[in-house]
Amino acid sequence: MSAETYLIIAAALLVFIVIFQISKASEYVSVLKGEEKSKQQNNRINAFLMLGFMIIGFIGVWYCNHKMYKSTLFFHGSASVEGEKIDEMFMLTTAVTGLVFIITQFLLFFFAWKYQAKEGKKAFYFPHNNKLEVIWTVVPAIFLAVLVVFGLRFWFRITSDAPENALKVEITGKQFGWIMRYPGKDKTFGKRNFKAISDDKGNSLGQLWEDNAELKLKADKANFDDVVTTQTMYVVKGRPVHLIIMSRDVIHDVGLSHFRMKMDAVPGIPTTLWFTPRYTTKEMKEITGNPDFVYEISCDQMCGNGHYSMKGIIEVVTQEEFDVWMAKQKPSYYVANPDKEPKAPAADTTKVPTATAAVIKGK
Amino acid sequence: MSETTHIHEHVTSVPHEAHHEVHHEHHHETFLTKYVFSQDHKTIAKQFLITGMFWAVLGGFFSVVFRLQLGFPDAKFPWLEDLLGEWARGGQLQPEAYYALVTMHGTVLVFFVLTAGLSGTFSNLLIPLQCGARDMASPFLNMLSYWFFFIASIVMLSSLFVQTGPFSGGWTAYPPLSALGQASPGSKVGMDLWLVSMALFVVSALLGGLNYIATVLNMRTKGMSMTRLPLTIWAFFFTAVLGVLSFPVLFSGFILLIFDRHFGTSFYLSDIYINGQALPNEGGSAILYQHLFWFLGHPEVYIILLPAMGMVSEILSVNSRKPIFGYMAMIGSLFAITILAFLVWAHHMFVTGLNPFLGAFFVLLTLLIAVPSAIKVFNWLTTIWRGNIRFTPAMMFAIGFVSLFISGGLTGIFLGNSALDIHLHDTYFVIAHFHIVMGVASMFGMFAGIYHWYPKMYGRYLNNTLGYVHFWITMVGAYLIFWPMHYTGLAGMPRRYYDYSIWESFKRFTDINQFISIVAIIVFLTQILFIFNFFYSIWKGRKVTTQNPWGANTLEWTTPINPGHGNWVGEIPEVHRWAYDYGKDGNEFISQTTPVGENESKDH
Ligand code: HEM
Ligand SMILES: [Cu+2]
Ligand SMILES: [Cu+2]
C-alpha cells in the first residue's frame, strides 16, 4: 500500500475519533445540564435543520436541473417522430408529479419545523376524518387516470404495426456486438436457422443457403440477395424504419435513446420496433454542436462481462446517400461464397440504385 | 420442553421486580441455547439484525469498490490489488469483478439485508411483544428460519471465493445468461452456489413468514382484536402474506433454472449459438423466467417496504404525541398494496416483446398502486400536523423515510407508464427510482426501528448525537447520490455498464459520476459510524431507567426493561383500547392496557 493510502486511512480514523469523542462528551454534558434541557435544545436544532434542509433542498433541485437539463436528451428534442409523443408524455408527468412533489415535501418539512415540541403545548387529538380521506383517495385517482389515458394512447400508437413503406432491417445481438441484415432486392428476408450458424463459413446469422439433410433444413433462395453488415446500420431520414430484433445467444436490448426507443433481443423470440428518424446524423452534429455526434445503439440488457462495450451505430442519411451506400454492398452469400457470384457486375451496379429507390418509395 | 412453563415456575418463586436479574441463572440455559440456538424471539431478532448488518457492511463495501471504478475509471488503486488480487490487476477493477460485485451488492442488499435483516429482525422482535404473546407460534421453526438464513449466507459468502468467481449476471439472474456457463464465468459454479443459497433463503423466508402469520392470527392477548393492533403488526402481517404467496413461485423459477443448467431441459432455452456451437435446446422461453421472477420480484419490493411503513407509522405517531391519522385507511391501503403487488409484475417487462395490449392492463394496475401509496403519505402528513414533535433520532429517520418515499414513489409514476418506460427502462432513472423508494427509504425505516427499539433490545440507548450525525449525513448524501441519476438516466445512460468512455452519448457524465462516488464513500463511512455506535452502546450506552422511555402505548413497553424469555413476568396484560390514544382528553398517552374510563370521549 502506498503512503497516500495510509494517510487517507489515518485521516478517516481521526475524523471518526473526533466525532465519537464529541458525541460521548455531549452525552455527559446533557446529564450535567439536565436531560430535559438538552432534549429541548436538540429539538430546536433539528427542527431548524429540517426547515433548512427543505429550503436548501429545493434550491438544490433547481440547481441540479439548471446544470443537468442540457445534457438530458430533451434539450434537443426527440430524434424520431414517435419519440416526440414520449417527450410530451414526459413533460405532462413531470408537471403533475412535480406539483405533488413540491406540495408534499413542503408540508412534511414545514410541519416538522412548525409543530416541534414546545413546553406546555398539547398535540391535537385528530384520529380520522372521512371527508379528507375520501378527497385524497379520489383526487390522486383522477390525476392518475389522466396519465393512464394519455400514456396508453401514445403506447398503442408506438407499438402499432409499422407502416407498409417502412425500411425493414433485421438486427441480431450476440456477445458482444450487433449484426444487421437488409432483405435485398426481393424485399424478403431469407429463412435462417440457428443450427446453420457458422462464423467460420461467414454465415453469422444461419441463413439457409443450402440444403442440409442431417439437420433437415432446406435452402431459401430469398437469402441470396440479403445484405449483412456489422455494427453500423444505415437508415433514411423521414422514412420509417422497422427493426426485426433477434439474439443469437443471451438476452440483449436494442437501446436507441435518441429515438426514445428500446426493445429486448430474446433468443428464439423475434421482437420488433419502428420509428421515423427526423434528422440525419450530419444534421444532428449541428443541432447538438458536437462534431463527434453519432446515434449509438447501446445494449440495455445485462448480457455478460462485455455488456458495456456492446455498441452499434445508426447512420441516418438521405435517400440518395442510402442508395449509393446500398449499391456498394455485396450480399452475404456472395461474400462468403465468392465462387458463386454471377459474373456480370458492370450492368448490375448501375441498376441497383434505381431498383432500390423504387422499392423504397413503396411500389 | 416449553420455555413458557419456566416463566410460570419463576413467577411463583420470584418477586416481580427482581425477576429479570434472576433470569440469568436459568438452570437449563447454556451459552449455546441462550445466544446461539436460542428459541427466544428476541434473541433470534438480534441474530437476524446482526447478520443483516454484517451483510449491509459487506454489500455496502462492494458498492464503494464498484463506485470507485465508475467515478475514477482511469485511476489505479494498488490497495485494491492487494485486496482483490486478480480481480484488480494492476490496481484496476476488472469487468468480471465489477459485474460480480454489482450482482452481489444487489442480491445481498435486497434479500439478506432488507428482507432478512429488516422483516426478520422486527417481525421477530415486535410481533410477540406488541401482540402480547410469550413467543412465536413455533419458536423452534423460528430458530430454523434463522439458521436456514445463516447457511444461505455461508453459501453465498463461499461463492465469492470460487475460482470462476461468484455469479455476475445481475440480481435478477435472467437466463440464458444465468443458465449457461459458456456465457459468462460467473454463470459457472458461482451461479450454482447462488441458486443453492437463494433456495435456502426461500426456505428461511417461508418458515419465518408462516410463523409470523400464525402468531398474529392466534396468539394475541386478551382484548387485542385485529383492529387494536399497532400498524407495525399489520405491516409485518401483510409482509408475511406477500412472502408466503410469492416466494414459492420464485422457488419454482429457480428449480426450472437448475434443470436447464444441469439436466438438459429447455424451459428457458431456445435457438442459442454460443462459443462457436449451436446448443440442442429448442422451444423454451427466456421470458418465462422473467414472469416467474417478477411475480416474486415485485411483491418482494413491498416485502422490503411494508415493514418500514409500519414502523414509521408507529414512530411518527409516538413522537408527534398524536394518534396515527386514519388508522383504518392505513390498514386498507396496506391491504390494497398487498393485493395489487401481485398484479403488476409485468411492468418490469414492458420492453421484452410483451403483448402491448396486455401491457396496457399492467399500466393501469401499476398506476392504481399509487393511490394507496398517496393515501399513506397524506395520512402521515396529517399525523404530524399539529403534533408536538420530539425529534428523537428514530423520528428523524421516520420523517426522512416519508420524504424519500414521496420522491421515489413519484418516479414510479413515470416508469409505470409504459410509453415512458420505453425510454427509461434499464437506465439510471430506474436505479434512482428504486434506490430512493426502496433502498434508502427502507434503510431509513430500519434505522428508525433500531433507534426506537434499541432500548427494548439492549436496555440501553444509542448515542443521540451520533444518531443525529448519522441521520443528516445519510439524508443529504442519499439525495446527492441519487437525484442526479435521474438526469443521467433521462440522457439514456444504461445501468450495469463497467465503463462509459467509449460512448459518445454517455462519456460526458464523468464528472457527475465522480461526484456521486465521492458522496457514496462518505455515506458509507457514516454507516460505519452507526455500526460502531450500535456495538459500543450494547455495553457502554446510557442505561434505560424507566420501563416506557418514549411514553408509548404499545405492549412492549409494559414488559420489564430487560425482558426474559416469555416477556412478561406474571400474566400477560389485557388490552382495552387501540394503540394510538395520544393526546386524548388531555392525557399525554394512554397505554393499551388502561381500561376505558367512564367519562372518556368516544372518539375511536
Ligand atoms: C408509486 C408506486 C410505484 C410505481 C408506479 C413503480 C413502478 C415501477 C416500474 C414500472 C418499474 C420498472 C422500471 C423498469 O425496469 O423499466 C419499477 C422498478 C422498480 N421498482 Fe418501482 N414503482 C413504485 C414503487 C416502488 C416501491 C414502493 C418500491 C420498493 C419498495 C419499488 C421498487 C422497485 C425496484 C426494486 C425496481 C427495479 C428492479 C430492477 O429492475 O432491478 N417501486 N418500479
Ligand atoms: Cu448487453
Ligand atoms: Cu415492480
Side-chain angles (χ1 to χ4, degrees), chain A residues 199-204 207 209 223-230 328-342:
Chain A
D199 284 336
D200 298 339
K201 292 190 192 142
N203 192 354
S204 59
Q207 288 170 286
W209 286 335
N223 269 314
F224 294 162
D225 65 349
D226 291 0
V227 168
V228 174
T229 65
T230 55
K328 283 194 238 152
Q329 305 306 310
K330 206 193 260 185
S332 55
Y333 180 57
Y334 298 131
V335 175
N337 306 286
D339 50 314
K340 301 266 169 53
E341 192 172 357

Side-chain angles (χ1 to χ4, degrees), chain A residues 108-175:
Chain A
L108 177 68
F109 291 105
F110 177 73
F111 287 170
W113 169 76
K114 172 116 206 255
Y115 300 110
Q116 58 181 292
K118 298 237 173 70
E119 229 173 323
K121 203 174 84 182
K122 280 264 179 289
F124 173 51
Y125 187 79
F126 188 48
H128 67 104
N129 178 317
N130 291 340
K131 200 153 105 202
L132 277 179
E133 285 165 74
V134 168
I135 291 177
W136 57 59
T137 310
V138 172
V139 173
I142 292 172
F143 272 108
L144 289 165
V146 172
L147 292 178
V148 168
V149 167
F150 277 96
L152 288 184
R153 268 185 47 201
F154 296 147
W155 167 247
F156 283 125
R157 203 173 308 166
I158 292 163
T159 57
S160 63
D161 290 338
E164 280 289 313
N165 70 336
L167 171 69
K168 278 201 173 121
V169 189
E170 186 192 83
I171 174 167
T172 303
K174 61 159 193 149
Q175 283 182 329

Side-chain angles (χ1 to χ4, degrees), chain A residues 1 5 16 19-20 23-24 26-27 35 42-43 46-47 49-50 53 61 64-65 68 71-74 86 89-90 93-94 97 100-101 104-105 108-109 111-112 115-118 121-129 133 136-137 140-141 144 147-148 151-152 155-156 158-159 175 194-195 197-199 248-251 253 257-258 260-264 266-269 271 290 292 294 296-305 307-311, chain B residues 79 82 95-96 99 168-169 174-177 183 185 270-273 279 282 285 290 320-326 329 350-353 356 360 364 367 370-371 375 378-379 381-382 384-391 396 399 403 406-407 410 413-414 417-420 422-427 463 465-466 468 472 475-476 479 483 487 490-492 494 496-499 502-505 508-509 525 528-529 532 536 542 578 581-584 586 603:
Chain A
M1 282 208 257
T5 335
F16 248 70
I19 295 180
F20 175 66
S23 305
K24 222 166 76 177
S26 74
E27 203 146 78
E35 299 242 342
N42 277 339
N43 230 49
N46 281 302
L49 286 175
M50 285 277 170
F53 177 80
V61 167
C64 182
N65 187 63
M68 295 192 72
S71 51
T72 69
L73 299 170
F74 300 114
I86 290 180
M89 190 64 221
F90 177 80
T93 311
T94 308
T97 54
V100 177
F101 175 81
T104 48
Q105 298 282 8
L108 177 68
F109 291 105
F111 287 170
Y115 300 110
Q116 58 181 292
K118 298 237 173 70
K121 203 174 84 182
K122 280 264 179 289
F124 173 51
Y125 187 79
F126 188 48
H128 67 104
N129 178 317
E133 285 165 74
W136 57 59
T137 310
L144 289 165
L147 292 178
V148 168
L152 288 184
W155 167 247
F156 283 125
I158 292 163
T159 57
Q175 283 182 329
F194 73 103
K195 289 179 192 149
I197 296 177
S198 167
D199 284 336
R248 243 173 55 163
D249 39 44
V250 301
I251 302 178
D253 183 287
S257 46
H258 293 97
R260 312 287 189 269
M261 289 294 153
K262 187 172 292 151
M263 183 54 78
D264 280 357
V266 187
I269 309 173
T271 56
N290 177 5
D292 297 328
V294 274
E296 285 167 325
I297 306 173
S298 53
C299 179
D300 283 350
Q301 182 62 257
M302 177 63 200
C303 59
N305 291 340
H307 171 53
Y308 68 97
S309 60
M310 192 168 157
K311 172 161 135 172
Chain B
W79 61 270
D82 298 340
E96 63 268 26
Y99 286 117
S168 56
Y174 286 178
L177 180 61
S270 188
D271 295 34
I272 292 167
Y273 175 89
L279 302 186
E282 277 182 272
S285 162
Q290 297 186 20
S320 300
R321 313 312 286 151
K322 257 187 90 203
I324 189 80
F325 181 80
F350 285 137
V351 301
T352 55
L364 189 68
L367 291 206
V371 175
I375 294 175
F378 290 125
N379 284 2
L381 291 177
T382 316
I384 64 170
W385 175 68
R386 294 186 65 184
N388 198 24
I389 301 171
R390 298 183 313 210
F391 291 103
M396 310 283 285
I399 292 174
S403 170
I406 294 171
S407 303
L410 288 173
I413 293 173
F414 292 75
N417 225 323
S418 51
L420 280 178
I422 299 175
H423 181 48
L424 300 173
H425 178 67
D426 269 346
T427 65
N463 182 301
T465 312
L466 281 180
Y468 294 130
W472 281 114
M475 178 81 174
V476 173
Y479 273 110
W483 195 265
Y487 286 83
L490 289 171
R496 294 174 175 156
Y497 270 29
Y498 161 74
D499 183 11
I502 63 161
W503 296 85
E504 192 54 41
S505 314
R508 61 203 138 110
F509 294 114
L525 291 178
I528 302 294
L529 201 64
F532 185 78
Y536 179 85
R542 204 156 38 92
W578 74 329
D581 274 336
Y582 294 101
K584 189 182 190 188
D603 219 344

Side-chain angles (χ1 to χ4, degrees), chain B residues 337-360:
Chain B
I337 288 174
T338 304
I339 300 290
L340 287 171
F342 285 112
L343 302 174
V344 300
W345 77 89
H347 65 207
H348 298 273
M349 301 166 60
F350 285 137
V351 301
T352 55
L354 184 78
N355 182 332
F357 186 67
L358 199 60

Side-chain angles (χ1 to χ4, degrees), chain A residues 174-190:
Chain A
K174 61 159 193 149
Q175 283 182 329
F176 297 96
W178 300 101
I179 307 167
M180 331 291 178
R181 180 162 73 140
Y182 295 81
K185 277 175 264 178
D186 62 359
K187 293 192 285 177
T188 11
F189 291 108

